[in-house]
Amino acid sequence: MKIARSQADLRRFRRAFPRGASCGFVPTMGALHAGHGALVARARRENDICAASIFVNPKQFGPGEDFESYPRTEDADLAMLRDLGSDLVLIGTNEDLYPEEFATRVELKGPLVTAAEGARRPTHFAGVTTVVAKLFGLFEPTRAYFGWKDMQQLLVIRRMVDDLSIPVEVVGCEIVREDDGVAMSSRNRYLDREARMRAPKIHEALVLAARAWQGGERRAERLRAMVREHLHGFDLEYVELRSTSSFEELQDPVGPGRILVVARMETTRLLDNYPLDSLSEGTATVHSDDVRGSTP
Ligand code: AMP
């Protein structure tokens, strides 16, 4: 596995791979867990070259957020990427990726970036799209793998790629969960014992709503209320029903889409979402995106 610590290294390593080889790319902020692992394993299966990046991107953190304390576990991350058969990884640094003269911001407009996460984190998506556009320029991937865990981010990236005609296929991968249903996240390590014990209720609430939808409940307010009731006592930032293509809010009668929740536990925001039309109640649900020729 080639480890690049600069853009120059990365370009050199990238050029050494055969021309025409397909490249699957997984951008991450490190502190890797099995959720990231599923993206990397899929990139490995579906492409000639499997590439990843690890970069805690300061531009996507707002003031007062956890940029400084974000977990950094480089040795373990590299071991995991190696085990999964990655060929190439960029360990990004601020100085190299954002030199002093750096002056570009890639920023979407409109409800896709101002709703939900965008309303709470107004500079977040511009930070994400700026770094991902840059990483796409560096890695020149054939396919890039993103998790449904960050549903809005996945749709923002798809919009950017279409708008800027970037020649990459954006692949969405279903949420990987702990055995008790908690969506894996690098930030779960911030939770204390008590918060971690309560956290599975979030997934339970989403499954309840999905089951109700499958049973014929099509009233948005009823579906949202079921989640709120199950999560009584939680500090909920939002419970929303959203389209998996446009991210528009689903109106009555609610069609297929996903139900999203953000719960705040102490200072940690736990994001989760679930497909209303999921046929499985298991922990590794599969979205139609994932079905194409892959084994879960
Ligand atoms: P991050 O390192 O948090 O920026 O995440 C890197 C990528 O991994 C993003 O596309 C996330 O959506 C994805 N990801 C994070 N957690 C999970 C999970 N539990 N299941 C699936 N994908 C995930």
Side-chain angles (χ1 to χ4, degrees):
M1 182 172 78
K2 298 287 187 199
I3 302 173
R5 292 191 182 270
S6 67
Q7 301 185 62
D9 283 355
L10 194 276
R11 285 202 190 280
R12 194 158 42 81
F13 292 143
R14 181 71 183 87
R15 275 197 215 106
F17 288 101
R19 264 174 159 302
S22 63
C23 173
F25 172 50
V26 182
T28 81
M29 298 207 298
L32 301 185
H33 50 66
H36 300 107
L39 273 57
V40 174
R42 185 154 174 205
R44 172 70 292 164
R45 280 201 303 275
E46 297 180 351
N47 300 277
D48 301 320
I49 306 167
C50 173
S53 62
I54 297 174
F55 177 50
V56 185
N57 172 34
K59 292 190 190 297
Q60 70 189 70
F61 289 78
E65 292 185 358
D66 56 344
F67 172 69
E68 265 88 31
S69 58
Y70 196 83
R72 287 158 172 90
T73 60
E74 184 182 308
D75 291 346
D77 292 351
L78 291 176
M80 178 165 164
L81 291 173
R82 212 175 268 120
D83 284 350
L84 289 168
S86 305
D87 300 300
L88 177 61
V89 55
L90 171 68
I91 310 280
T93 65
N94 221 1
E95 306 72 53
D96 180 63
L97 291 173
Y98 300 131
E100 247 171 60
E101 62 277 19
F102 191 94
T104 297
R105 183 164 65 210
V106 179
E107 185 166 21
L108 278 67
K109 286 194 301 200
L112 180 55
V113 291
T114 54
E117 285 306 284
R120 279 94 191 160
R121 307 180 71 192
T123 57
H124 173 66
F125 287 119
V128 171
T129 41
T130 300
V131 79
V132 171
K134 185 174 174 74
L135 293 169
F136 283 174
L138 278 169
F139 282 84
E140 298 183 51
T142 317
R143 299 184 187 85
Y145 296 80
F146 290 85
W148 278 102
K149 167 80 171 33
D150 300 287
M151 170 176 176
Q152 194 172 1
Q153 167 175 278
L154 168 63
L155 301 184
V156 164
I157 300 294
R158 286 196 166 143
R159 180 81 267 132
M160 173 184 81
V161 159
D162 279 1
D163 289 355
L164 300 182
S165 309
I166 301 175
V168 60
E169 180 191 344
V170 177
V171 180
C173 300
E174 196 40 81
I175 300 175
V176 177
R177 300 178 180 281
E178 305 282 359
D179 289 343
D180 61 6
V182 173
M184 288 195 177
S185 163
S186 305
R187 291 186 168 105
N188 286 350
R189 65 187 77 199
Y190 298 153
L191 300 177
D192 65 22
R193 240 176 82 83
E194 199 242 314
R196 180 63 188 76
M197 297 230 317
R198 274 161 27 105
K201 290 208 85 153
I202 298 170
H203 171 246
E204 275 170 34
L206 296 175
V207 172
L208 275 179
R211 247 193 250 152
W213 186 85
Q214 287 161 30
E217 179 57 79
R218 293 291 183 272
R219 292 167 297 179
E221 187 39 43
R222 208 36 236 137
L223 293 164
R224 285 192 299 258
M226 288 180 71
V227 171
R228 280 193 228 103
E229 281 157 23
H230 193 74
L231 296 177
H232 177 76
F234 279 68
D235 180 5
L236 296 181
E237 285 194 11
Y238 59 83
V239 179
E240 292 185 359
L241 291 149
R242 295 267 174 187
S243 152
T244 52
S245 50
S246 65
F247 202 65
E248 275 164 21
E249 283 212 78
L250 301 176
Q251 310 292 342
D252 295 355
V254 171
R258 295 180 75 110
I259 184 154
L260 295 84
V261 63
V262 175
R264 187 176 275 278
M265 298 188 104
E266 292 123 41
T267 54
T268 306
R269 300 173 75 245
L270 294 186
L271 280 71
D272 202 351
N273 67 81
Y274 200 78
L276 292 173
D277 55 344
S278 166
L279 298 176
S280 128
E281 288 166 21
T283 51
T285 47
V286 175
H287 186 265
S288 53
D289 260 14
D290 288 328
V291 175
R292 260 170 318 171
S294 66
T295 43

